[in-house]
Amino acid sequence: MSTVTLVGSRLAEPGTEFVYEGEADACAGCPYRSQCLNLSPGTKYRVTSVRENAQTLECAMHDGGVRAVEVEPAAVRANITSKGAFAGSKTSLPGPCPYVECPSHEYCEPDGVEFDEEYRIRKIIGDPPHDVCHLDRPLELVELETDD
């Protein structure tokens, strides 16, 4: 289900994904607060459409102003322990990884999910992009559902 919200004009393109971080100090006193601060902090969203004929509004956080868009929670791709992983099951991330140069790092520590939370597996993607896991973890790349 989509939600209408305001995002920085640079993000106002269909397909753009972002993690909503919550209210910033500069939001205090803004007349558009109720339209901007209506998402769940820490959740990854995808812009599905930009409202036609919507004006760009001034914003203390976004130098290019903000625009009205429709967003939906986005699926998050992540590496998880492969044992027992199947679509529909629940899982959590195996833990942090210090190997930031690894091609899988963005999937081992993906934006929009927490290490201590459980998520339902939406879809199995397959093998992760790395050749060798330096932590010797048996991993599988999946799509996680982040909306409950």
Side-chain angles (χ1 to χ4, degrees):
M1 187 167 116
S2 65
T3 300
V4 176
T5 192
L6 298 174
V7 298
S9 59
R10 292 185 185 134
L11 296 174
E13 291 289 331
T16 299
E17 294 184 352
F18 64 94
V19 175
Y20 176 67
E21 298 294 341
E23 184 173 0
D25 291 341
C27 298
C30 176
Y32 311 117
R33 290 185 61 192
S34 63
Q35 291 103 353
C36 266
L37 305 176
N38 60 345
L39 303 177
S40 298
T43 300
K44 187 174 187 178
Y45 291 92
R46 176 181 296 113
V47 175
T48 57
S49 66
V50 178
R51 286 291 173 107
E52 289 186 36
N53 301 322
Q55 61 183 345
T56 300
L57 305 169
E58 287 188 35
C59 176
M61 289 300 302
H62 297 277
D63 60 359
V66 292
R67 301 221 25 223
V69 298
E70 290 187 29
V71 298
E72 292 181 349
V76 174
R77 287 192 174 195
N79 284 333
I80 61 160
T81 304
S82 56
K83 183 178 181 179
F86 59 92
S89 66
K90 286 206 161 198
T91 189
S92 57
L93 298 176
C97 175
Y99 297 97
V100 295
E101 297 300 319
C102 174
S104 274
H105 187 71
E106 68 180 291
Y107 303 113
C108 290
E109 296 191 16
D111 291 334
V113 294
E114 301 294 327
F115 288 114
D116 55 350
E117 297 286 325
E118 278 199 332
Y119 301 93
R120 187 167 310 282
I121 298 172
R122 178 180 288 174
K123 178 168 82 172
I124 302 290
I125 305 297
D127 292 331
H130 63 264
D131 292 324
V132 175
C133 175
H134 297 291
L135 295 177
D136 204 26
R137 294 174 174 165
L139 300 172
E140 186 144 18
L141 185 60
V142 299
E143 228 175 58
L144 300 175
E145 294 179 9
T146 58
D147 53 332
D148 291 327

